[in-house]
Amino acid sequence: EAGQDRFLVYDIGAGTGNTTAAFVEKIIEGGSNAKITICMVEQSAKLLDDAMLSVEKIIIGANSQEKIFIEMACETDINALMKAKEMDIAISNAAIHHNSFHLHLKALFKSLKIGGIFINGDWHDSISEHPIRILELLKRLGTNQKLIRDPVIFNRTFDVF
């Protein structure tokens, strides 16, 4: 939302923190004065500790400790962490395919504020093998129903993602 001065961001399946680190670097480069809390969610405590260290280095190196705050959540059930309409941005890079995609998707959309942003990157073969997995995502994004029903156009859509 324009003029907003605080944001809550979740990185779901944060792994080693590469996606969070890239996000933080872009925020710093952009010169935003907003206060941003990023919750890195990861089921591996070891990965989460490593992620925290790498992201903190970036924040400290840019002297941004007063505006970017990092929280950690070592959790296997992301649904337990998310509260209704609290997230401004949800990021998941190559993580959601490890679990029941449609269940996570419902929880994510319930947790996003109105106008919130969901960024999902995935290289996993199961999406192209089973395009039905992202049908709900496409519908929620407002994709034209004609596009979804036309298999030739629908399969070309996956090249874009």
Side-chain angles (χ1 to χ4, degrees):
E1 188 175 310
Q4 186 172 335
D5 64 349
R6 292 187 170 277
F7 293 91
L8 177 60
V9 179
Y10 273 61
D11 182 358
I12 300 160
T16 58
N18 293 338
T19 302
T20 303
F23 182 80
V24 166
E25 286 172 344
K26 288 297 179 188
I27 294 297
I28 292 168
E29 285 174 19
S32 172
N33 289 322
K35 295 203 183 298
I36 300 165
T37 300
I38 303 171
C39 181
M40 293 188 299
V41 182
E42 173 58 50
Q43 61 183 347
S44 165
K46 168 75 172 111
L47 287 177
L48 197 54
D49 287 341
D50 292 347
M52 185 70 166
L53 290 174
S54 67
V55 174
E56 281 182 333
K57 279 184 194 174
I58 295 167
I59 294 169
I60 292 168
N63 199 25
S64 296
Q65 304 93 309
E66 298 298 316
K67 68 178 188 177
I68 301 175
F69 308 94
I70 302 295
E71 297 176 356
M72 298 188 308
C74 190
E75 182 63 62
T76 56
D77 180 12
I78 65 166
N79 298 332
L81 291 174
M82 296 186 282
K83 297 181 179 89
K85 308 292 182 217
E86 76 167 359
M87 280 190 282
D88 296 290
I89 301 172
I91 302 170
S92 179
N93 189 19
I96 289 182
H97 67 260
H98 290 296
N99 296 297
S100 181
F101 188 81
H102 70 285
L103 294 176
H104 286 318
L105 196 57
K106 285 179 184 177
L108 282 167
F109 279 107
K110 284 181 183 177
S111 299
L112 280 170
K113 289 181 180 177
I114 294 172
I117 299 168
F118 173 46
I119 303 167
N120 183 46
D122 210 319
W123 52 265
H124 196 264
D125 286 345
S126 68
I127 287 179
S128 59
E129 290 169 10
H130 307 288
I132 198 70
R133 288 185 172 187
I134 66 164
L135 180 61
E136 184 64 26
L137 175 61
L138 291 172
K139 285 180 181 178
R140 287 184 183 246
L141 291 173
T143 304
N144 181 305
Q145 291 298 309
K146 182 179 177 186
L147 176 107
I148 291 172
R149 284 191 291 259
D150 184 327
V152 174
I153 296 172
F154 185 72
N155 285 324
R156 258 190 268 140
T157 303
F158 292 99
D159 295 335
V160 175
F161 293 117

